[in-house]
Amino acid sequence: MGGHGTPEPMTALGSGPLKGVADVPGDKSISHRSLILGALTVGETRVTGLLEGQDVLDTAKAMEAFGAEVTRVGDGEWSIHGVGTGGFAEPEDVIDCGNSGTGVRLIMGAMATTPITATFTGDASLRTRPMGRITGPLTEFGAASFGRAGGRLPLTIVGTGNPVPVDYTLPVPSAQVKSAVLLAGLNAPGETIVREAEATRDHTERMLRGFGAEVSSEVEKGVRVIRLTGQPELSAQTIAVPRDPSSAAFPVCAALITEGSDVLVPGIGLNPTRAGLYTTLREMGADLTYEKEREEGGEPVADLRARFSPGMMGIEVPPERAASMIDEFPILSVVASFAEGATVMQGVKELRVKESDRIDAMAVGLRANGVAVDETEDTMTVHGLGPKGVPGGGRAEARLDHRIAMSFLCLGMGSERGVSVDDAGPILTSFPIFVPLMERLGASFARDNR
Ligand code: S3P
C-alpha cells in the first residue's frame, strides 16, 4: 500500500469497449478539509461521501491525535466532534501523513497558531517534497519550524500562542499554501490576507464560509485577494462531499481512447477551479457531455458522459489554465498520445514537486510505450499517434504516485499490447476502488508483471 508494503505489479491489457456507469469516490480535497474544519469546530460535524482512501484516513487519524473525536459511522459517513478554533491539543507522537501533501500542509497550518508543538513525517515520496513554502508564511504568524535540509520532513512546528495576522502573496500557485495560511489565520486576531496571481482551487474559502467564517474573495488588478476575519465562531456542519473530478478523469479518459466505449460518471464536482481538464478535452474534440448540471453542497455538479473519440486533435493548453487541472496532466498526456498531432502543456513546472516529478515520470513511461515526448522545466509536449496508434508493450514506474500508476494503466487499456506498472499499490491513496470499477466497465488487468 502506497509505499508501505510490497510492490504490486499490474498490467492493463488492451481493452475492448468500456461501458456502463462509473461511481467514483468522494473528492479528496474536500474530504481532507471536512475533517480538519470539523476538528476545528465545537459540536458534531457529519460528513457523507467522504473519500476513504489512505490519504484521508491519515488525516482522520491526525485529527484524533490533536484531540478531536473522529468516528466512522457507515460507508463514507463520518462524525467529527471538534475542539474549536485554537483548541488543538499537543499530539503525543509524531504525525505520519503517509503520502499526502495536502494532509500534512493543511494540518501544519491548522496547528501553527496554537501554543503546541508537533512533528510531522510521511512516506518516502512525501519526505522529498518541499515544505518551505508552508513554513515560510507560518513563521510570519509567529510559529517556528525545524526541518531537514530544504525544509523536508520530518519537520517540527512550534506553534505560537500570540499569532499576528499576515498579508501573504503566494510565490507559487498552490491551494495547499493558500489553505495553510487561511487555516492558520483562523486563530489569529484581525484580518489574514492571501493574494494569488492564478486562481487555485477554492474549496477552503467556500467551506470556511459554510462553517460561518467571514471570508471575502475579490479580484484586484488581476490578483485574487482573499480576506479572512480571524477567531470566528464556527458552527458544526453537515457536509455532502461531491465525487472527485480528478478521479473521474480516469474512467472518462479511458473511455475516450478505447474503441466502442460509452461511460457515464454521475455526480462529479465541476467547480471551475478544478474543471480545466474537461475544457481541454472538449477543445481537443472529445465526445464528452455534461448532463443534469446542478448544485450539491455548495459545489456545481454534473453527470459526465464520455464516448470513444477517434477524432481528437492535439492542442496548446494555455499556461493560465494549469492550476485548474494541475492533477490531470498525467492522464491528459495519455489522451494526447491518442490524438492527431502535438499537445503542448505549458506552465506546468509545479508537476515536478508532486507525489513524483510527474513530467519526468510520464515522459519516461510514455517513451517506453512508443510515444514521443519533449520536455522543458515548465512544459511537456506529447506527439500523438492517433486513435489506436499507441503500441504499448512496455513497463512504467509508478514512483509511489497514484496518478502515475492509474495513468499508465489507462494507457494500457487504449494500447495494442497493454502496459505494465511496477506498483499499483499507491492507487489506494486516492481511488481505492479503481481496479474493480474499471473491471466492471470492461477493463482487464493481470496482477503479475510481464
Ligand atoms: C490540493 C492542491 C494541489 C493538488 C493536490 C490537492 C488541495 O496541490 O495538486 O492534489 O487539496 O489543496 P498544490 O497546492 O501543491 O498545487
Side-chain angles (χ1 to χ4, degrees):
M1 190 197 303
H4 301 294
T6 36
E8 293 169 33
M10 189 174 282
T11 299
L13 307 172
S15 178
L18 302 173
K19 284 190 185 262
V21 176
D23 281 324
V24 306
D27 190 282
K28 181 151 74 72
S29 293
I30 295 174
S31 295
H32 282 295
R33 287 160 171 81
S34 300
L35 293 169
I36 296 169
L37 286 174
L40 288 171
T41 304
V42 175
E44 184 189 14
T45 287
R46 288 293 280 233
V47 187
T48 54
L50 189 91
L51 167 64
E52 293 176 328
Q54 193 56 43
D55 277 11
V56 176
L57 298 178
D58 286 338
T59 289
K61 213 156 42 145
M63 291 303 95
E64 286 189 313
F66 282 100
E69 220 176 275
V70 184
T71 318
R72 182 179 194 269
V73 287
D75 246 7
E77 211 176 322
W78 289 65
S79 152
I80 305 127
H81 283 274
V83 292
T85 308
F88 270 179
E90 186 165 279
E92 285 176 17
D93 203 349
V94 172
I95 302 294
D96 187 346
C97 289
N99 191 247
S100 181
T102 306
V104 76
R105 290 177 171 140
L106 268 55
I107 296 167
M108 284 196 243
M111 59 73 59
T113 47
T114 306
I116 56 173
T117 295
T119 299
F120 297 88
T121 193
D123 72 3
S125 155
L126 193 57
R127 291 195 307 270
T128 67
R129 300 181 65 187
M131 296 298 150
R133 55 179 59 193
I134 300 292
T135 55
L138 296 186
T139 309
E140 292 187 23
F141 281 99
S145 82
F146 306 90
R148 289 165 57 230
R152 293 331 199 245
L153 302 177
L155 183 154
T156 296
I157 305 255
V158 180
T160 172
N162 291 306
V164 287
V166 308
D167 181 342
Y168 193 70
T169 299
L170 296 185
V172 286
S174 166
Q176 292 174 359
V177 178
K178 172 174 66 177
S179 302
V181 173
L182 291 173
L183 291 172
L186 270 183
N187 200 35
E191 192 172 70
T192 287
I193 303 174
V194 186
R195 300 171 195 271
E196 56 178 3
E198 290 168 55
T200 65
R201 65 192 68 193
D202 62 357
H203 306 300
T204 303
E205 298 92 303
R206 285 176 188 246
M207 291 178 76
L208 277 171
R209 269 184 221 117
F211 275 81
E214 222 177 281
V215 183
S216 68
S217 173
E218 278 153 35
V219 178
E220 296 173 12
K221 295 189 193 127
V223 173
R224 183 157 290 280
V225 184
I226 300 132
R227 294 186 168 84
L228 163 76
T229 306
Q231 301 180 325
E233 200 55 53
L234 299 181
S235 54
Q237 295 300 300
T238 300
I239 300 169
V241 179
R243 297 173 195 265
D244 198 321
S246 301
S247 296
F250 296 102
V252 163
C253 290
L256 299 178
I257 61 175
T258 308
E259 191 168 18
S261 294
D262 186 349
V263 168
L264 185 73
V265 196
I268 300 307
L270 286 174
N271 179 315
T273 61
R274 296 285 298 282
L277 171 73
Y278 299 108
T279 307
T280 301
L281 292 173
R282 287 166 140 188
E283 283 177 10
M284 292 171 77
D287 185 349
L288 174 67
T289 50
Y290 291 1
E291 299 178 359
K292 297 196 194 135
E293 291 184 51
R294 57 202 184 266
E295 187 153 309
E296 280 175 13
E299 296 273 350
V301 159
D303 300 346
L304 299 186
R305 182 156 192 188
R307 298 182 180 87
F308 176 55
S309 300
M312 289 186 288
M313 305 293 291
I315 62 163
E316 283 194 13
V317 187
E320 61 274 12
R321 193 181 294 161
S324 68
M325 55 180 293
I326 196 65
D327 291 335
E328 283 67 73
F329 284 105
I331 189 63
L332 176 64
S333 70
V334 169
V335 174
S337 305
F338 294 87
E340 301 281 358
T343 295
V344 186
M345 303 166 220
Q346 307 167 85
V348 295
K349 65 172 178 288
E350 274 293 300
L351 294 181
R352 297 202 180 271
V353 291
K354 296 294 177 188
E355 286 82 332
S356 67
D357 175 342
R358 287 181 170 162
I359 297 179
D360 190 64
M362 289 311 299
V364 170
L366 286 172
R367 287 180 196 129
N369 286 284
V371 182
V373 182
D374 302 320
E375 60 179 286
T376 67
E377 183 57 21
D378 198 28
T379 67
M380 173 160 64
T381 302
V382 173
H383 299 278
L385 296 167
K388 304 203 291 171
V390 175
R395 195 182 137 96
E397 283 179 15
R399 303 191 188 181
L400 295 182
D401 188 330
H402 52 128
R403 296 197 206 284
I404 299 299
M406 289 186 277
S407 295
F408 282 118
L409 291 174
C410 291
L411 182 78
M413 292 170 211
S415 75
E416 206 179 300
R417 289 157 51 208
V419 171
S420 298
V421 294
D422 64 338
D423 186 11
I427 294 172
L428 297 181
T429 62
S430 72
F431 198 162
I433 57 165
F434 172 78
V435 168
L437 179 146
M438 294 307 303
E439 282 177 333
R440 262 201 309 281
L441 295 177
S444 302
F445 299 101
R447 258 80 178 179
D448 55 335
N449 220 334
R450 298 185 300 183

